Amino acid sequence: MPLKITAAQIEQIRHHAEATYPHECCGVLTGHILSEASKTVRAVVSCSNLHDDPSRSWYQIDPQELVRIQRNAYERDEDVIGFYHSHPMMSRAGRPAIWRKLTGLAALT
């Protein structure tokens, strides 16, 4: 199922990943499920990562924070349509290619 996301939303995720580096960032995507074939992101919600073991790159969103996000989305007639997280331990060489690919995908929407 394609995900329609804007370049500005991808940039918001990138800034979150940079701000939390070297720890893993995480967040929620809310929006609309248009059909079985398409989802459109309306909001990128950055979350705190409760997982604090620096030896492992994991993320854990506070359940109370997630409930708040779900309720806020419901009030805007949106759904939780996805989650995002970074890969801070990825080699520096691989990171630019991923951002170029994501930016290229956003350009299609």
Side-chain angles (χ1 to χ4, degrees):
M1 178 180 300
L3 179 70
K4 295 181 180 181
I5 186 167
T6 68
Q9 291 165 331
I10 290 172
E11 189 67 11
Q12 184 179 348
I13 294 169
R14 187 176 71 80
H15 282 295
H16 185 203
E18 288 176 348
T20 59
Y21 185 81
H23 303 288
E24 184 147 6
C25 77
C26 54
V28 180
L29 306 174
T30 65
H32 301 287
I33 301 172
L34 303 174
S35 68
E36 289 296 319
S38 179
K39 295 179 183 179
T40 298
V41 176
R42 293 288 178 223
V44 174
V45 185
S46 300
C47 297
S48 299
N49 186 352
L50 295 181
H51 182 75
D52 62 356
D53 181 354
S55 69
R56 300 184 80 144
S57 182
W58 288 1
Y59 72 94
Q60 179 182 0
I61 298 172
D62 182 332
Q64 290 179 336
E65 186 175 13
L66 186 54
V67 168
R68 180 187 53 78
I69 292 165
Q70 290 172 315
R71 284 184 180 150
N72 290 342
Y74 178 80
E75 290 171 1
R76 295 187 312 269
D77 196 30
E78 297 176 2
D79 295 302
V80 170
I81 61 171
F83 297 87
Y84 72 87
H85 63 102
S86 60
H87 292 263
M89 303 315 278
M90 176 184 280
S91 73
R92 292 184 76 93
R95 285 187 213 140
I98 287 175
W99 290 115
R100 278 194 305 275
K101 181 177 179 181
L102 286 172
T103 303
L105 290 174
L108 299 175
T109 63

